[in-house]
């Protein structure tokens, strides 16, 4: 029994040695490993787009004015200014849109209807490599009542193709247009206009912010 | 023992010895034979050739995220990495594996894109004697995930030199990377990124 066990054990060891030897020979037979010299690389591109607020409109004690007067507003607090700075790489165009969106509410005041407020946008200092096409009713020599669609009014759009940093400046004016609003304590109705009493008119406000969206 | 008897014994021994020497001497002279067989029993070593040859290199600059469809369609210089596997064997098949491994850092760039943000695709046209099976998903483009990455395996059974050409594409995929204030990277952060990868081939037989 003891001798049989020894024989079996020796047989197993013998087979194991044979297997290891064969496998060892197989692995040693041929191996190859090489990493190529080519360093395949991706470097990302520089894409810059920034919208910078400037002056804010802060018109107080405002009364309805003509469209011509509104477009002619000047000076601090009367004109909203902002700029767009952009840079991209050749072949990659950045598209952008400029919107007017409702601003902050004022406690204790009643908001004008959007249609009573006129707005105008101008690309006051265009830059090479940044285009702008204003919505026709609101740009250049045109101005019109604010009409929100989906909570915003598209004032214009453009593209950035400048490969070095460029800045384009804009001016926005807004006012209560006298073609839409009348103030009267005696007349309650004027064709095509909203009529406010002096008391009610004194409680009104309007607010708007500029929103810029871009994509590439 | 008498002196005479001793002499007789000595003479007998000498006589037998002379007889033996004479007989043996006659035998050697009588028959000799020598012949070299015609069977040339020999060993010659087998032919086993395997080589990996670099080709074109990917150098995508000013790269922005693109779709997988756009990535697999990249063409032209700097957009496609090419390499070749060549080999032949007179005996055992040569098994080989192609890997993507981490490449060199890119000067001036400090942040490496994540392996999950870069897609890779490997393609090869069939050649007799060199088989190829890409890892699932990478023939059509898929996120690298982690390096080293096994791109596929194959074997060389060609008995005369055969060459198989491979194409590798890689890109930042728009399904996982977006740029913007609410995106994966801001425009500033994105402009400082890089990714690099090399091809490594291992073989054994």
């Amino acid at each position: 029994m003891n001798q049989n066990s020894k024989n079996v054990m020796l047989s197993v060891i013998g087979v194991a040695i044979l297997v290891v030897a064969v496998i060892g020979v197989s692995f040693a037979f041929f191996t190859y490993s090489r990493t190529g010299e080519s360093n395949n690389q991706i470097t990302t591109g520089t894409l810059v787009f920034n919208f910078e607020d400037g002056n804010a409109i802060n018109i107080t004690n405002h009364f309805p004015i003509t469209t011509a007067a509104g477009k002619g507003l000047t000076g601090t607090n009367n004109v909203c200014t902002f700029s767009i700075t952009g840079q991209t790489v050749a072949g990659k165009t950045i598209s952008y849109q400029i919107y007017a969106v409702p601003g902050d509410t004022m406690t204790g005041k009643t908001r004008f209807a959007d249609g009573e407020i006129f707005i105008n946008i101008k690309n006051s200092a265009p830059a090479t490599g940044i285009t702008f096409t204003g919505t026709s009713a609101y740009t250049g020599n045109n101005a019109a009542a604010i009409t929100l669609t989906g909570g915003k009014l598209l004032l214009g759009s453009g593209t950035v193709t400048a490969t070095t940093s460029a800045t384009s400046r804009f001016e926005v004016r807004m006012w209560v247009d006298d073609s839409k609003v009348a103030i009267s304590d005696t007349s309650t109705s004027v064709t095509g206009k909203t009529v406010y009493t002096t008391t009610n008119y004194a409680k009104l406000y309007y607010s708007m912010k500029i929103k810029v969206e871009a994509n590439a | 023992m008498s002196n005479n008897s001793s002499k007789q014994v000595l003479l007998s021994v000498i006589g037998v010895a002379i007889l033996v020497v004479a007989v043996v001497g006659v035998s050697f002279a009588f028959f000799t034979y020598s012949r070299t067989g015609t069977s040339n029993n020999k060993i010659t070593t087998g032919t086993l050739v395997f080589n990996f040859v670099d080709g074109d290199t990917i150098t995508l600059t000013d790269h922005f995220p693109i779709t997988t469809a756009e990535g697999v369609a990249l063409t032209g210089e700097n957009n496609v990495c090419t390499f070749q596997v060549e080999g032949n064997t007179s005996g055992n098949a040569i098994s080989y594996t192609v890997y993507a491994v981490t490449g060199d850092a890119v000067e001036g760039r400090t942040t490496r894109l994540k392996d999950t943000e870069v897609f890779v695709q490997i393609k090869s046209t069939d050649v007799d004697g060199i088989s190829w099976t890409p890892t699932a998903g990478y023939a059509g483009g898929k996120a690298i995930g982690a390096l080293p990455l096994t791109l596929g395996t194959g074997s060389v059974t060609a008995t005369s030199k055969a060459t198989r050409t491979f194409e590798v594409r890689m890109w930042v995929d728009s399904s996982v990377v977006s740029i913007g204030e609410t995106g994966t990277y801001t425009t500033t952060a994105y402009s400082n990124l890089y990714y690099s990868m090399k091809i490594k081939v291992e073989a054994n037989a």
Side-chain angles (χ1 to χ4, degrees), chain B residues 100-120:
Chain B
V101 298
T102 303
D104 301 332
V106 175
E107 191 178 348
R109 298 292 171 118
T110 55
T111 307
R112 187 177 169 85
L113 281 153
K114 296 185 182 80
D115 295 326
T116 52
E117 294 167 342
V118 177
F119 274 40
V120 69

Side-chain angles (χ1 to χ4, degrees), chain B residues 4-18:
Chain B
N4 198 38
S5 293
S6 297
K7 283 182 181 174
Q8 285 176 349
V9 169
L10 181 59
L11 286 172
S12 297
V13 169
I14 291 169
V16 168
I18 290 168

Side-chain angles (χ1 to χ4, degrees), chain A residues 32 34 36-37 39 42 44 47, chain B residues 52 54 187 190 195 199 203:
Chain A
Y32 177 97
R34 178 173 172 256
E37 300 292 323
N39 187 45
I42 296 172
T44 51
L47 192 107
Chain B
F52 156 50
D54 265 330
T187 51
Y190 186 81
Y195 193 81
I199 296 296

Side-chain angles (χ1 to χ4, degrees), chain B residues 64-133:
Chain B
F64 289 97
I66 57 177
T67 64
T68 303
E70 291 171 324
V72 299
L74 286 168
T75 55
E77 195 178 358
N78 296 327
N79 291 326
V80 182
C81 160
T82 61
F83 65 91
Q84 293 179 330
V85 162
E86 55 187 31
N88 56 279
T89 177
S90 58
N92 292 24
I94 304 168
S95 299
Y96 70 94
T97 305
V98 178
Y99 300 94
V101 298
T102 303
D104 301 332
V106 175
E107 191 178 348
R109 298 292 171 118
T110 55
T111 307
R112 187 177 169 85
L113 281 153
K114 296 185 182 80
D115 295 326
T116 52
E117 294 167 342
V118 177
F119 274 40
V120 69
Q121 181 217 27
I122 186 163
K123 280 174 69 176
S124 179
T125 304
D126 284 342
V127 168
D128 287 342
I130 302 182
S131 69
W132 168 248
T133 305

Side-chain angles (χ1 to χ4, degrees), chain A:
Chain A
M1 184 66 178
N2 217 4
Q3 184 60 38
N4 284 343
S5 297
K6 282 182 182 172
N7 287 341
V8 169
M9 186 177 292
L10 286 172
S11 299
V12 168
I13 291 170
V15 169
I17 290 170
L18 186 63
V19 168
V20 169
V22 168
I23 291 173
V25 167
S26 297
F27 274 117
F29 183 61
F30 171 73
T31 61
Y32 177 97
S33 178
R34 178 173 172 256
T35 301
E37 300 292 323
S38 297
N39 187 45
N40 300 288
Q41 66 182 46
I42 296 172
T43 52
T44 51
T46 299
L47 192 107
V48 174
F49 189 88
N50 200 24
F51 155 53
E52 200 74 39
D53 268 328
N55 296 327
I57 293 171
N58 186 18
I59 301 175
T60 57
N61 296 321
H62 183 62
F63 289 96
I65 57 177
T66 64
T67 303
K71 290 187 293 185
L73 288 167
T74 57
T76 307
N77 295 331
N78 290 326
V79 181
C80 160
T81 61
F82 64 92
S83 63
I84 283 174
T85 299
Q87 178 186 347
T88 186
V89 296
K92 196 77 178 175
T93 300
I94 303 170
S95 299
Y96 70 91
Q97 299 82 38
I98 299 173
Y99 298 96
V101 297
D104 300 333
T105 56
M106 296 178 72
T107 306
K109 294 275 191 178
T110 302
R111 186 178 175 85
F112 274 108
D114 296 322
E116 295 163 358
I117 307 297
F118 270 41
I119 193 167
N120 165 264
I121 184 168
K122 286 187 176 127
N123 190 186
S124 55
T128 302
I130 302 182
T131 67
F132 175 72
T133 303
T135 304
S136 59
Y138 301 102
T139 195
N141 202 37
N142 295 331
I146 290 174
T147 304
L148 299 181
T149 303
K152 58 189 181 183
L153 167 65
L154 178 64
L155 293 172
S157 59
T159 59
V160 177
T161 54
T163 53
T164 56
S165 183
T167 299
S168 189
R169 302 182 192 287
F170 297 83
E171 291 179 355
V172 172
R173 291 166 175 80
M174 69 173 186
W175 61 92
V176 178
D177 200 89
D178 68 359
S179 67
K180 298 293 181 181
V181 173
I183 305 168
S184 175
D185 288 329
T186 55
S187 299
T188 56
S189 176
V190 177
T191 303
K193 298 184 182 183
T194 304
V195 180
Y196 292 100
T197 63
T198 51
T199 304
N200 286 340
Y201 187 82
K203 295 175 183 173
L204 298 174
Y205 81 98
Y206 194 80
S207 63
M208 174 274 294
K209 290 183 176 180
I210 296 296
K211 179 181 183 180
V212 177
E213 294 179 351
N215 60 75

